[in-house]
């Protein structure tokens, strides 16, 4: 070895930590003192692992926080990469440029003899070296895992000085390559815990539910040397003295815990030195064959993936914001959460117990960037990393083990496969045989209990259900494994990528989850956009001065960065409702799909008037006749009383019978055109009034992110096999549209004919350098003082590919806010494959509110089936087949060119588009493309519009 080899620096050490580390234990409420060290700390930052200049002056920073989110970028900027490591893949080394911060604070303390003191950190990214009163007490790794160091020997009476040096990059960064911002710093609580002499070091209360007797059983495990410990459950009248480290206590009849009825019981454990309180819930989790059961019933997971994220604070936990997010999930009928891809702040887990969610808790582990190096040297299969993997699994399971909401442990995400993952799983199986182990990357089910996939199209789900694996060549040799997998429970731990406008086809997924026997549901990717608040916009990857990034891929949530629900969330809520309604000829079928709980907490209304539905137990259905009233009342299922997550009156389900309503007949005849009307139609045969002008044909839309991305398969041109994991994905929708130059249509007037009673114009629209065209006929006439437009669009046969839309666009002067009323579908935007939340009614709003402020501007605002649109100066009625409409201050090309809505220029024009068709939305930004039923192939269309101007 040459003499200039650098000594091993802590940043390259694979050791999970050093110093007097306390064995992992639960996060518990205790009456022992806890001193929070959150608050203002001294802070300085240096550019390398050597740390800041010793002479540099101290500044101050808030703990918890991320230093790259400090004001004015004064400590650098956040960085977003999805799969890629932001540095060369050269484990365990990291670059010399390694931002390193020194944190310091002093605190007065009076240690008591006989007690011990632990310094607990809940989250530091990525490696911390801790010194107390100038002595090194240890190093801490595992950014989102709690770690405790016994600092008793280093604490002194009076003033103490705590120094924490934090390196942004370390060997452990290789294990933390989750798809999110790189956000260094002390971002969760720092505390000193008093451990009283003879205290209760750890406790595990497993609350089992006996399905036959309905009795509860508490299996208690205690870590203490000080017995007896008295366990009490006041509500059950239980008080038991425990004299040994384990005990089994039968507590008689209990109400079980479930996500639907999250019944918790307060438990106290006390000995002479310490009292611990926790809340437990009785439930039994089992896997029987391909059934994953809780309390004897098959689970139906209607879930989301949840990251820790706040637009100003990053991954710093904000209890009020987090709780608001969970309540919004409950209101959207979401009953399950996967903690992607690390355990959240421990208080969040308690909120899930209380509000009721089925939770898959996940370890802080992802090595996805090795995939880009063909998984060479992946830590998951390298014995040198085994201790780090096992340390991580112990620390996350031990911290959260008391929570009834957790129904499975997940080893991590996208870390390939290998012996270290298998060892983690074996450790969990030995430690907690009562909860299954999940890890998606164990594709062949060698060491996990649940068959898990991500972004699998429905055909892939059907294949797995029938014991057939992916049809790609690299999977052929393992084909035999798949018959065995079909004997196990299946989930999609990620599906329906909620990036931008979408996801589409949730209904089809929900149907597959409900009918294919092994499938138990899935978790939409993901809950919230991770845009960072920057002045008047939310920033994504490419908004920072980093050399490369994954752009807006960090904004792929059902909820926008500011917490606003997106149309995708409304669509999901409608599809996964536990109380689905079906109406046929005024016969309403109500079903209770809840895991637990009857329907006595619900009110059923038709157009706001309550009607009776018998109380239904889970699994039951009833058919009732709808009360009298209009042809198609809006039927709602509402909460009778306030709950912890929604007020009385909150709507779980909305339904309506639409089939009966016939389109309004097209008015016949034509009166002589008035001079005023005739003057409004220009020489080209277009309306040119002061309040409305047009129309022109449009076949293009500002591409959604599902339209723009093409990493996954498409059903177009017979490339369905691509969606099953074989074949070449093919171009994106946006590429197809741009290749056809749909955004560049040119118009030529073929003819304009005027008679006393009508003006007839024929226009030909075609892209440059193409002999494909669409002829648009516009016939203007007048009936009962109404200007009528009968329009038809007919393509020639030379179109070869899909269109984005088939629409007619009018323009209106934009002089400020525009009040809009419409009779049609709403309230939100809806598309052919994402329209479950829409119903038909009279709606009103302001035009700018019709567009969703997606992180990246894109197609938005389409509402199908318009009957009537009322603007201050225009009333538009549709006859015959009903078009959808959208109204927006910018045209498609302007929208498509903008990276943020704040960049869109001031507009003097509203664009009103009436679409006879739109291509579906799909979820191809990460998943299958638009299903064939929702493709828009070149076709003809007709419009019949009545105008009062
Ligand atoms: C999948 C990841 O597990 C998740 O963290 C996120 O990155 C998601 O993709 C996309 O937003 S992995 C992907 C290669 C299927």
């Amino acid at each position: 070895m040459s003499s200039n080899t650098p000594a091993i620096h802590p940043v390259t050490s694979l050791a999970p930590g050093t110093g007097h580390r306390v064995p992992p234990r639960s996060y518990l409420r205790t009456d022992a003192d806890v001193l929070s060290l959150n608050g203002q700390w001294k802070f300085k930052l240096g550019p390398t692992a050597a740390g800041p200049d010793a002479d540099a002056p101290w500044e101050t920073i808030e703990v918890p926080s991320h230093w790259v989110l400090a004001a004015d970028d004064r400590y650098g900027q956040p960085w977003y990469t999805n799969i890629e490591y932001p540095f060369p893949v050269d484990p365990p080394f990291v670059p010399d440029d390694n931002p390193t911060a020194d944190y310091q604070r002093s605190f007065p303390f009076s240690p008591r003899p006989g007690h011990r003191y632990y310094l607990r950190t809940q989250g530091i990214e990525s490696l911390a070296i801790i010194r107390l009163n100038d002595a090194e007490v240890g190093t801490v790794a595992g950014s989102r895992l709690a770690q405790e160091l016994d600092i008793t020997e280093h604490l002194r009476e009076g003033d103490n000085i705590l120094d924490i040096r934090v390196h942004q990059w370390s060997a452990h960064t290789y294990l933390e390559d989750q798809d999110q911002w790189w956000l260094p710093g002390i971002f969760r609580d720092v505390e000193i815990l008093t451990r009283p002499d003879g205290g209760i070091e750890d406790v595990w209360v497993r609350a089992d539910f006996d399905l036959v007797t309905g009795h509860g059983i508490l299996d208690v495990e205690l870590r203490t040397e000080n017995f007896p410990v008295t366990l009490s459950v006041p509500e059950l009248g239980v008080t038991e003295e425990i004299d040994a480290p384990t005990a089994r206590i039968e507590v008689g009849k209990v109400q079980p815990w479930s996500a639907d009825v999250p019944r918790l019981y307060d438990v106290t454990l006390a000995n002479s030195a310490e009292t611990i309180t926790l809340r437990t819930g009785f439930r039994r989790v089992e896997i029987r064959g391909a059934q994953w059961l809780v309390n004897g019933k098959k689970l139906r997971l209607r879930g989301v993936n949840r990251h820790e994220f706040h637009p100003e604070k990053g991954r710093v936990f904000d209890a009020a914001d987090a709780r608001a997010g969970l309540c919004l999930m409950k209101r959207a009928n979401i009953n399950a959460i996967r903690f992607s891809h690390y355990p959240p702040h421990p208080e969040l887990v308690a909120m899930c117990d209380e509000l009721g969610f089925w939770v898959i808790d996940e370890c802080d582990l992802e090595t996805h960037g090795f995939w880009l190096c063909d998984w060479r040297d992946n830590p998951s299969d390298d014995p040198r990393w085994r201790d780090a993997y096992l340390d991580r699994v112990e620390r996350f399971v031990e911290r959260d083990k008391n929570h009834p909401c957790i129904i499975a442990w997940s080893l991590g995400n996208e870390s390939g496969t290998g012996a270290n993952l298998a060892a983690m799983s074996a450790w969990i199986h030995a430690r907690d045989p009562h909860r299954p182990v999940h890890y998606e990357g164990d594709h062949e089910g060698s060491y996990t209990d649940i068959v898990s996939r991500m972004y699998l199209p429905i055909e892939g789900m059907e294949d797995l259900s029938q014991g057939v694996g992916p049809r790609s060549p690299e999977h052929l040799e393992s084909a035999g494994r798949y018959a065995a997998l079909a004997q196990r429970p299946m989930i999609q731990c990620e599906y329906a990528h909620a990036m931008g406008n979408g996801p589409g086809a949730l209904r089809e997924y929900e149907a597959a989850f409900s009918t294919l026997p092994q499938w138990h549901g899935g978790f939409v990717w993901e809950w919230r956009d991770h845009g960072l608040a920057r002045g008047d916009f939310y920033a994504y990857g490419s908004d920072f001065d980093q050399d490369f990034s994954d752009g807006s891929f960090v904004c792929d949530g059902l909820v926008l960065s500011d917490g606003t629900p997106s149309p995708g969330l409304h669509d999901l809520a409608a599809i996964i409702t536990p109380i689905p309604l079906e109406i046929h000829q005024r016969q309403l079928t109500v079903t209770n799909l809840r895991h637990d709980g009857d329907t006595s907490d619900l009110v059923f209304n038709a157009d706001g008037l309550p009607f009776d539905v018998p109380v239904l137990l889970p699994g039951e259905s009833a058919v009732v006749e709808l009360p009298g009233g209009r042809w198609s009342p809006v039927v709602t299922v509402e909460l009778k009383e306030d709950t912890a997550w929604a007020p009385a009156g909150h709507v779980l389900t909305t339904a309506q019978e639409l089939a009966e309503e016939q389109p309004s007949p097209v008015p016949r005849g034509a009166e002589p055109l008035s001079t005023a009307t005739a003057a409004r139609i220009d020489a080209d045969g277009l309306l040119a009034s002061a309040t409305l002008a047009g129309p022109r044909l449009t076949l293009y839309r500002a591409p959604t992110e599902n339209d723009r991305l093409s990493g996954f398969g498409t059903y177009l041109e017979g490339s369905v096999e691509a969606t099953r994991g074989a074949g070449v994905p093919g171009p994106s929708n946006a590429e197809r549209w741009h290749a056809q130059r749909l955004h560049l249509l040119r118009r030529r007037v073929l003819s304009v004919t005027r008679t006393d009673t009508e003006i007839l114009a024929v226009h030909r629209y075609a892209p440059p350098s193409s002999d494909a065209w669409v002829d648009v006929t516009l016939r203007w006439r007048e009936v009962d003082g109404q200007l009528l437009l009968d329009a038809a669009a007919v393509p020639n046969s030379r179109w070869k590919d899909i269109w984005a839309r088939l629409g007619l666009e009018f323009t209106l002067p934009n002089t400020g806010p525009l009040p809009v009323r419409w009779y049609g579908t709403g309230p939100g935007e809806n598309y052919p494959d994402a329209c479950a939340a829409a119903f038909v009614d009279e709606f009103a709003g302001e035009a700018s509110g019709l567009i969703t402020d997606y992180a990246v501007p894109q197609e938005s605002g389409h509402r199908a089936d318009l009957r009537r649109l009322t603007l201050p100066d225009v009333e538009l009625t549709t006859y015959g087949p009903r078009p959808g409409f959208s109204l927006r201050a910018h045209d498609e090309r302007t929208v498509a060119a903008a990276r943020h809505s704040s960049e869109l220029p001031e507009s003097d024009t509203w664009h009103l588009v009436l679409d006879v068709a739109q291509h579906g939305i799909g979820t191809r930004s990460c998943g299958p493309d638009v299903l064939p039923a929702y493709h828009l192939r070149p076709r003809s269309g007709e419009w019949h519009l009545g105008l009062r101007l």
Side-chain angles (χ1 to χ4, degrees):
M1 211 182 263
S2 78
S3 56
N4 60 4
T5 302
I8 291 199
H9 189 281
V11 296
T12 60
S13 166
L14 306 191
T18 66
H20 194 159
R21 301 169 76 218
V22 178
R25 39 182 216 120
S26 312
Y27 176 80
L28 295 168
R29 274 179 233 288
T30 163
D31 64 345
D33 288 341
V34 177
L35 173 69
S36 169
L37 296 179
N38 291 353
Q40 294 292 312
W41 287 53
K42 291 184 186 170
F43 179 84
K44 54 184 155 177
L45 184 68
T48 70
D53 190 342
D55 301 327
W58 287 109
E59 301 183 34
T60 55
I61 200 166
E62 178 80 12
V63 167
S65 75
H66 302 282
W67 72 67
V68 292
L69 296 183
D72 309 322
D73 294 348
R74 69 158 147 317
Y75 303 127
Q77 289 192 332
W79 193 347
Y80 167 57
T81 62
N82 168 11
I83 298 172
E84 291 188 279
Y85 288 104
F87 46 70
V89 183
D90 182 18
F93 302 102
V94 292
D96 295 344
D97 293 332
N98 186 357
T100 294
D102 281 345
Y103 290 73
Q104 188 185 79
R105 74 163 283 168
S106 59
F107 59 95
F109 210 79
S110 257
R112 275 178 281 167
H115 288 38
R116 301 208 70 80
Y117 296 95
Y118 296 169
L119 178 75
R120 178 167 70 189
T121 60
Q122 295 281 9
I124 303 181
E125 183 166 327
S126 82
L127 179 84
I129 300 169
I130 299 179
R131 301 174 70 81
L132 183 58
N133 298 324
D134 270 339
E136 180 159 332
V137 297
T139 55
V140 166
S143 296
R144 299 111 205 167
L145 298 171
Q147 189 159 158
E148 293 173 337
L149 294 170
D150 188 329
I151 55 168
T152 315
E153 314 312 326
H154 302 283
L155 271 176
R156 63 188 180 205
E157 181 67 37
D159 217 31
N160 288 265
I161 297 179
L162 181 61
D163 283 282
I164 304 186
R165 170 165 287 190
V166 180
H167 299 285
Q168 175 163 15
W169 311 123
S170 69
H172 300 276
T173 308
Y174 284 102
L175 308 187
E176 296 173 4
D177 188 26
Q178 290 92 343
D179 175 7
Q180 59 181 352
W181 297 101
W182 298 100
L183 295 176
I186 306 177
F187 70 95
R188 286 187 191 156
D189 318 300
V190 180
E191 298 143 305
I192 295 180
L193 313 183
T194 299
R195 301 302 313 134
D197 194 11
I200 301 171
E201 191 69 355
D202 197 12
V203 55
W204 187 0
V205 175
R206 287 188 243 201
D208 188 20
F209 181 69
D210 186 314
L211 306 176
V212 179
T213 61
H215 287 193
I217 305 121
L218 295 176
D219 273 308
V220 184
E221 184 189 289
L222 285 157
R223 186 137 52 91
T224 181
E225 277 153 21
N226 180 9
F227 290 99
V229 172
T230 307
L231 175 145
S232 49
V233 190
E235 238 189 301
L236 296 171
V238 172
T239 310
E240 285 273 332
E241 286 222 329
I242 303 176
D243 293 308
T246 59
R248 163 167 276 232
I249 302 166
E250 311 226 350
V251 298
K253 280 262 187 234
V254 293
Q255 281 177 272
W257 185 96
S258 70
D260 292 332
V261 185
R263 181 69 164 91
L264 292 174
Y265 291 86
D266 288 316
V267 181
T268 306
L269 294 120
N271 66 9
S272 60
E274 187 174 14
T275 300
I276 305 270
T277 47
L278 53 85
R279 304 183 83 190
T280 198
F282 295 89
R283 90 277 178 283
R284 181 176 289 181
V285 181
E286 294 167 282
I287 289 185
R288 270 195 246 135
Q291 306 275 298
W292 185 4
L293 312 169
V294 175
N295 300 337
K297 273 190 222 160
K298 184 183 174 182
L299 278 171
R300 260 312 320 272
L301 302 169
R302 302 182 172 97
V304 290
N305 281 274
R306 181 191 181 278
H307 265 284
E308 292 274 78
F309 185 74
H310 183 283
E312 272 107 31
K313 301 182 182 178
R315 286 188 282 279
V316 174
F317 181 66
D318 178 314
D321 187 71
R323 193 180 179 89
L326 296 183
C327 291
L328 185 54
M329 289 180 196
K330 290 289 286 190
R331 293 204 293 270
N333 298 322
I334 288 163
N335 72 359
I337 306 177
R338 172 179 178 226
F339 292 157
S340 51
H341 300 301
Y342 42 82
H345 190 282
E347 291 295 343
L348 189 102
V349 194
M351 289 181 193
C352 292
D353 287 342
E354 182 209 323
L355 294 169
F357 290 99
W358 309 117
V359 169
I360 298 186
D361 194 358
E362 190 155 278
C363 191
D364 187 4
L365 179 70
E366 175 156 342
T367 66
H368 209 163
F370 285 86
W371 176 59
L372 301 169
C373 304
D374 300 323
W375 293 115
R376 278 185 302 279
D377 297 329
N378 181 16
S380 299
D381 204 29
D382 180 337
R384 288 174 301 169
W385 292 89
R386 185 184 157 93
D387 287 351
Y389 275 61
L390 285 173
D391 178 73
R392 280 171 189 256
V393 77
E394 288 184 37
R395 277 157 63 195
F396 106 100
V397 169
E398 294 292 352
R399 192 196 77 168
D400 291 347
K401 60 186 177 288
N402 281 297
H403 291 282
C405 66
I406 297 171
I407 52 156
W409 301 110
S410 176
L411 304 178
N413 186 58
E414 290 285 11
S415 299
T417 190
N420 297 336
L421 290 159
M424 286 170 93
S425 180
W427 184 89
I428 298 176
H429 281 139
R431 179 73 180 126
D432 183 8
H434 302 288
R435 282 185 274 222
V437 173
H438 167 270
Y439 173 63
E440 185 269 346
D442 179 28
H443 266 210
E444 297 180 13
S446 316
Y447 48 85
T448 52
D449 306 308
I450 294 159
V451 178
S452 179
R453 292 293 184 270
M454 25 172 103
Y455 308 106
L456 202 59
I458 288 158
E459 309 82 62
M461 291 174 62
E462 290 164 352
D463 282 355
L464 270 188
S465 191
Q466 283 154 27
V468 177
R471 301 175 181 209
S472 57
E474 73 263 32
H475 284 95
L476 284 183
E477 81 246 25
S478 58
R481 272 299 291 165
Y482 284 88
L485 291 192
Q487 310 304 313
R488 300 198 190 172
M490 299 177 177
I491 63 165
Q492 294 235 43
C493 66
E494 296 175 25
Y495 79 106
H497 197 246
M499 189 178 191
N501 187 339
L506 286 170
R507 201 187 273 291
E508 284 78 0
Y509 270 117
E510 184 61 16
F513 287 139
S514 303
T515 49
L516 298 171
Q518 302 91 336
W519 288 92
H520 288 67
F523 298 80
V524 169
W525 186 268
E526 68 175 302
W527 173 242
R528 185 173 187 169
D529 282 0
H530 302 216
L532 288 166
R534 293 257 142 170
D536 61 348
F537 71 101
Y538 288 91
Y540 45 80
S542 41
D543 292 316
F544 294 95
D545 304 326
Q546 308 290 6
D547 295 327
F548 55 93
S549 87
D550 285 297
S552 64
F553 212 66
V554 78
C555 291
D556 50 6
L558 292 166
V559 167
L560 305 180
S561 298
D562 67 358
T564 306
S566 78
L569 183 65
H570 295 295
D571 192 49
L572 178 71
I575 289 166
I576 63 175
T577 175
I579 314 292
L581 305 175
E582 268 176 53
I583 315 174
H584 185 58
Q585 300 193 331
R586 299 192 77 87
Q587 300 293 302
L588 169 73
T589 309
V590 184
T591 306
N592 179 0
L593 294 180
R594 287 169 165 176
H595 189 93
D596 200 4
D598 63 30
T599 52
S600 57
D601 59 328
L602 305 174
V603 187
F604 295 79
N605 285 331
D607 278 345
L609 297 174
F611 63 94
D612 286 335
V613 171
V615 170
L616 301 172
L617 294 173
E620 288 185 347
S621 289
V623 181
V624 294
E625 169 96 22
L626 277 184
R630 67 168 175 154
W631 57 273
S632 173
V634 177
V635 180
T636 54
V637 184
E638 303 179 13
L639 288 179
K640 203 179 273 178
E641 280 163 17
D642 292 353
T643 64
W645 43 271
H650 165 73
V651 174
L652 276 76
T653 321
T654 303
Q656 195 178 29
E657 181 173 18
L658 288 177
E660 300 303 301
E661 196 207 10
Q662 297 300 319
S664 321
V666 180
R668 290 172 180 279
E671 298 150 11
L673 287 174
S674 68
T675 347
T677 299
R680 280 175 172 154
I681 310 295
D682 69 13
D684 289 348
L686 293 177
L687 180 65
S689 91
T691 54
L692 191 70
R696 73 169 179 96
L697 178 80
T698 172
L699 304 176
Y700 181 67
R701 70 184 182 201
T704 66
E705 285 155 306
N706 288 312
D707 291 332
R708 279 183 201 271
L709 295 169
S710 59
F712 281 71
T714 174
Y715 294 86
L716 289 158
E717 287 172 5
S719 41
V720 182
E721 285 306 305
T723 67
R724 305 179 114 116
V728 183
S732 71
N733 293 338
E735 284 162 346
R736 290 169 180 274
W737 298 333
H738 291 145
Q740 297 175 83
R741 293 185 167 150
L742 298 188
H743 58 311
L744 299 177
L745 294 188
R746 304 296 197 244
R747 191 196 76 197
R748 187 163 69 82
V749 178
L750 300 189
S751 64
V752 180
T753 325
R754 288 174 180 254
T755 67
D756 281 357
T757 53
E758 68 174 46
I759 299 170
L760 184 69
V762 185
H763 296 165
R764 176 163 293 176
Y765 289 86
S769 181
S770 166
D771 61 358
W773 63 66
V774 179
D775 284 344
V776 176
T777 307
L778 306 173
R779 176 165 160 249
W780 303 96
R781 57 196 170 102
E782 216 168 317
V783 179
D784 292 337
Q786 195 177 205
L787 177 60
L788 277 159
L789 170 63
D790 306 293
V794 181
N796 68 2
S797 62
R798 303 201 182 106
W799 296 93
K800 295 283 175 277
D801 211 343
I802 49 163
W803 291 346
R805 61 162 21 129
L806 174 53
L808 288 185
E809 180 185 331
F810 291 88
T811 54
L812 298 85
N814 181 350
T815 53
L818 181 68
V820 187
R821 282 193 291 124
W822 75 98
Y823 178 32
T825 62
E829 65 186 40
N830 54 80
Y831 289 83
D833 54 348
C835 57
F839 55 93
V840 175
D841 212 336
E842 299 262 10
F843 298 98
E846 203 274 306
S848 58
L850 299 182
I851 300 302
T852 306
D853 193 14
Y854 294 114
V856 178
Q858 56 195 280
E859 163 64 27
S860 170
H862 175 82
R863 286 164 172 83
D865 288 340
L866 180 69
R867 280 96 167 140
R868 193 174 54 250
L869 176 71
T870 311
L871 304 170
D873 299 316
V874 178
E875 179 161 283
L876 183 152
T877 309
T878 71
Y879 301 100
R882 299 184 197 102
F885 85 103
S886 58
L887 183 59
R888 189 166 195 164
H890 298 94
D891 63 29
E892 299 100 345
R893 290 179 68 189
T894 308
V895 173
R899 295 167 56 257
H900 293 282
S901 57
S902 55
E903 291 168 10
L904 288 167
E906 280 288 305
S907 143
D908 56 10
T909 308
W910 290 107
H911 301 263
L912 169 66
V913 183
L914 298 163
D915 289 313
V916 297
Q918 275 254 1
H919 190 66
I921 295 294
T923 177
R924 199 182 179 194
S925 55
C926 188
D929 197 5
V930 176
L931 296 178
Y934 307 112
H935 289 176
L936 174 54
R937 298 278 179 188
R939 50 162 277 192
S940 45
E942 60 179 287
W943 297 253
H944 303 276
L945 310 174
L947 296 167
R948 289 187 196 277
L949 306 171

